[in-house]
Amino acid sequence: MAAMLARHLPSLADRVPARELSDEEVREAAKTEPALRDAALRGQIPMISNDKARRVLGWQPRPVETTITDTADNLIKHGLVTP
């Protein structure tokens, strides 16, 4: 994600953390961050599938990079992140 944002917003690249957390850091962060709890407890990142939405609804997700960069642009546009 950091690499995508750095390519899209090079002037802000130094503000995006670009390292992975160690297992110990994930376990520590999981104490206060519910989204990390499963990863910490099982030692793996849970796999999430959108197969049913594709199959039943005919949904086609946007490319990951487009979604991430559009989100960053909107956060800046709405003043939630300052350049």
Side-chain angles (χ1 to χ4, degrees), residues 18-53:
R19 71 176 191 87
E20 291 186 25
L21 298 177
S22 69
D23 289 345
E24 181 57 36
E25 289 170 316
V26 170
R27 280 190 288 280
E28 187 61 32
K31 293 176 182 177
T32 57
E33 182 57 53
L36 294 174
R37 205 160 287 140
D38 280 344
L41 293 175
R42 294 191 317 222
Q44 62 187 22
I45 296 172
M47 296 304 295
I48 300 169
S49 172
N50 61 21
D51 289 342
K52 187 173 182 179

Side-chain angles (χ1 to χ4, degrees), residues 24-82:
E24 181 57 36
E25 289 170 316
V26 170
R27 280 190 288 280
E28 187 61 32
K31 293 176 182 177
T32 57
E33 182 57 53
L36 294 174
R37 205 160 287 140
D38 280 344
L41 293 175
R42 294 191 317 222
Q44 62 187 22
I45 296 172
M47 296 304 295
I48 300 169
S49 172
N50 61 21
D51 289 342
K52 187 173 182 179
R54 289 174 184 248
R55 186 178 67 253
V56 174
L57 303 173
W59 177 68
Q60 290 299 314
R62 296 170 39 177
V64 172
E65 187 155 351
T66 302
T67 302
I68 290 171
T69 56
D70 284 355
T71 299
D73 289 340
N74 278 292
L75 290 171
I76 292 168
K77 176 182 172 183
H78 295 288
L80 298 169
V81 173
T82 55

